[in-house]
Amino acid sequence: MKVLKFGGKSLSNGEGINKVISIIENKVNQGEEIAVVVSARGNATDELEEILEIAAKNGDYKTPFESFKKVQNGEYQEIDLSVEFEVLDKLFEGVSLIGDYSNKIKDQILSQGELLSAKLLTSILTKKGINAHFTDSRVLIKTDSKFGDAQPLEQVSKKNVINYFKQNCDTVNIITGFIGSNNNNDTTTLGRNGSNYTASLIANYLDAEELQNYTHVDGIYTANPDLVPDAKKIDRLSFNEANEIANFGATILHAKTIIPLLEKNIPLRILNTFNHENQGTLITSKSNKEGIKTLSVLENVSLVNLEGRGLLGKTGVDARIFRVMGDNDISVSIISQGSSERGIGLVVNADKATKAMIELEKEFENDFYSKDVNKISITDDVSVISIIGQDLSTFHKPYTALIKNKVVPILFNNTVTGKNVSLVVKKAQLHKALNVIHGEIFGVSKKINIAIFGHGLVGGTLINQILESAAAIEKRKDIRLNVFAIANSKNLLLNKNGVSPNWKNEIQTNGFSYTIDDVIAFANENHLENLIAIDNTASATFVENYIPLAEGSFDLISSNKVANTLSYKFYKDLRKVLAENQKNYLYETNVGAGLPLIDTIKLLHLSGENITKIKGVFSGTLSYLFNNFSAKDVPFSEILKEAIDNGYTEPDPREDLCGNDVGRKLLILARELDLQNEFEEISIQNLIPEHLREGNVSDFLHKLKEFDPIYDKIKAAQEPNHVLRYIGELSGDLQNDKGNLEVKLVSVPSDTALGGLKGSDSFFEIYTESYGDRPIVIQGAGAGSAVTARGVFGDLLRLSDKG
């Protein structure tokens, strides 16, 4: 025989009840021997409790009661449920008159939900020609008299069930879950989720082949799918694992359900009424493999803290705490202790926390006077996450991921077996914490949530590169890149599930004005984890947002050079905030676009290598100008105009020609060596004749020929076989606080590496103590939106891989 148990949502009006009837019909037609245990339909138990409270306050209970009756009959108005409704009517009337009720009365009222459910289902099945029999479990399950949470009396209950099924063996027995009766035949209930317990007991007493628990989900998941969209269904679990899940908040299981099944080794299968072709989750004595199984959550709990240095080494403290909890019927979910400063944390149901604190204060009253106990306090609004199957040897991975996402557990402990770890976190951080842990420990893609600021040439190219490559990267690296925000100087586009390839139109139509706080708030409200902000602007004001972004749990990536070239104080303050918040800041494209220059210098410096000099061509635009001017017998203005027409320069070419951009890049490299130079200390040779440095762009573009006599003279004054190069050079004693930074036009032999530069390549020489006069040379495309965007993308992937 198989025992089928259907939950409240499965039995609700419409699709639910119809699916249940179909499942039972199919099993009967296939010749399966089954018994059916039912919960109250829909939200009947909660609704009856609400009506009871209204009646106790002498309120209008009749209106909600009439609604309740209509819902319970649903589409089957012809089925007579008047007996149960009359019982309820009399009980509510009595409660209303007295203005109060006992747990005994409450059990009588709540039991009617299951009675109505079983009676309705039996009638429907009978009309369909199925030999169904209404079974009131109060005649089967005998309990003690603890109303509201009664315990079954095993021997008499087992005898009743076996005898009953012998007499009713040729029928489908539709049994009420949740309810029983004491020896006086007073109605009792088995506690919330007790219908599962009823089904488990029936299965045990009948030595059932399997208990099939039909719910509204496909089985047990690696986490609650409502909280973790990436949660995966678990095919198999052991009873021990299921018991841990039940103890730590999985509503699909009742902790007491497991034991009767374990005694007889009866498999439990969790199935979906609405998708009954799915095989669900099978729970047996054996699991299919070791390892982490699922994340369970306990909500509606509080943390009671007992603190006191004087308790260290004092015997009997734990016993006193547990005696107080036991005497006051307060269940402790988790206990954790600290030894250096004696502190004990207890997780209890939120509605029992105040009682626990008051009773503990009474128990430890003398210890307050002797200063052995400092304080007893309550931390509300907390939740417990239990990682079922987590070994402490690998716990550092999810723990580090939490800290990186600014979720700091208040308390954690592990079981004696060392295979389950529980964390207490702030309730507001539960959603994010679950997703971070789940992404870290299960074989699902790690989700990286990205906000991109600036969508011009570099930013726009980067966005398209990410969207085009996302699927391949997820497949190859198990990293899911999710661009949830795109912003320009005026408008912001937000989508927690990621922007579409049509983002350019969407930011125009759906974008709105914003501050950086809007982006941070959106990420928090949607519990987005693994946050990265990318600055592709050239804005001097946007860098003011770096510190609030880091404090808001964002790692930073920037192609914008400004943040690294402002005052040395800002440079150090930013890095202090990054360190305090355990955030990273990558900016490989600040110098050399996509070339691995900054990384190389960082590695050399960190390894203790003494860098003695850095020099090179830092500007792709100026590389193009002087490479071509040196190689061709044409005026300088003609090469400059060619560069302008091809879009190699800034809209105002003077921004390239003044040398400040090269100066900023040189300063960034100097600061990587811990030099404290300021921008004002750089010696920069401005390539623009003094009389052309002011005025509007249009006037300047009409006067380009005025460059020619100056640069013809410089070119002609060179030694034979020499060429012009505009370089940045960092020299001096680089072990001091400051170095010598120069940006200048130089003449070099054409047969050297620097002299042989072609096109618009960037070129860098890094001289070190170990390599002497043989520098490390890095050369390649050092400019262009596609190259720079690809460099930023490289930083993004490097950051995504961390941790």
Side-chain angles (χ1 to χ4, degrees), residues 698-746:
S698 179
D699 287 347
F700 171 76
L701 294 175
H702 282 101
K703 297 176 180 177
L704 296 183
K705 289 188 183 299
E706 295 182 29
F707 279 84
D708 293 341
I710 300 167
Y711 286 95
D712 284 348
K713 185 179 177 183
I714 294 171
K715 186 177 180 179
Q718 294 183 99
E719 292 180 28
N721 300 315
H722 275 58
V723 290
L724 295 171
R725 298 290 182 259
Y726 190 70
I727 66 165
E729 184 172 335
L730 169 62
S731 60
D733 186 350
L734 304 188
Q735 300 304 302
N736 291 332
D737 287 343
K738 296 192 177 185
N740 299 323
L741 281 72
E742 295 177 279
V743 177
K744 56 193 177 183
L745 185 64
V746 296

Side-chain angles (χ1 to χ4, degrees), residues 665-683:
K665 291 174 180 177
L666 191 61
L667 179 61
I668 290 168
L669 298 188
R671 287 179 172 176
E672 289 302 319
L673 302 181
D674 298 322
L675 299 174
Q676 298 178 19
N677 289 82
E678 300 286 0
F679 182 77
E680 296 76 21
E681 296 167 347
I682 306 170
S683 169

Side-chain angles (χ1 to χ4, degrees), residues 476-608:
R476 192 171 69 248
K477 297 177 73 69
D478 271 343
I479 292 170
R480 190 195 305 174
L481 301 176
N482 182 58
V483 180
F484 77 92
I486 297 175
N488 52 37
S489 58
K490 295 178 181 175
N491 290 325
L492 169 68
L493 175 67
L494 294 170
N495 185 335
K496 68 175 182 179
N497 298 316
V499 300
S500 77
N502 192 34
W503 59 268
K504 276 188 181 174
N505 291 329
E506 287 173 5
I507 198 167
Q508 288 181 340
T509 54
N510 302 330
F512 57 91
S513 60
Y514 72 102
T515 67
I516 206 67
D517 291 337
D518 295 323
V519 179
I520 296 168
F522 182 83
N524 287 334
E525 286 160 12
N526 290 282
H527 315 288
L528 301 182
E529 74 274 22
N530 302 318
L531 297 164
I532 297 178
I534 301 178
D535 176 14
N536 288 316
T537 72
S539 167
T541 54
F542 185 80
V543 298
E544 295 168 8
N545 296 317
Y546 285 16
I547 286 175
L549 281 166
E551 290 172 340
S553 200
F554 282 80
D555 286 306
L556 306 176
I557 295 172
S558 176
S559 61
N560 182 355
K561 293 180 279 291
V562 173
N564 287 325
T565 58
L566 291 175
S567 70
Y568 188 70
K569 180 182 181 304
F570 177 83
Y571 184 88
K572 295 304 285 184
D573 287 348
L574 174 58
R575 277 148 182 80
K576 182 170 181 282
V577 170
L578 289 163
E580 286 169 353
N581 290 278
Q582 299 190 46
K583 295 290 111 184
N584 296 286
Y585 174 30
L586 300 187
Y587 42 88
E588 184 62 63
T589 57
N590 274 196
V591 187
L595 297 176
L597 176 66
I598 291 175
D599 247 11
T600 303
I601 290 170
K602 273 183 177 175
L603 286 169
L604 287 167
H605 186 57
L606 285 171
S607 69

Side-chain angles (χ1 to χ4, degrees), residues 5 7 11 148 255 322 337 354 428 449 488-489 563-564 655 672 684 694 787:
K5 186 266 169 179
L11 291 157
F322 279 111
Q337 298 176 230
T354 303
N449 289 291
N488 52 37
S489 58
N564 287 325
E655 290 181 30
E672 289 302 319
I684 299 174
E694 301 297 327
V787 172

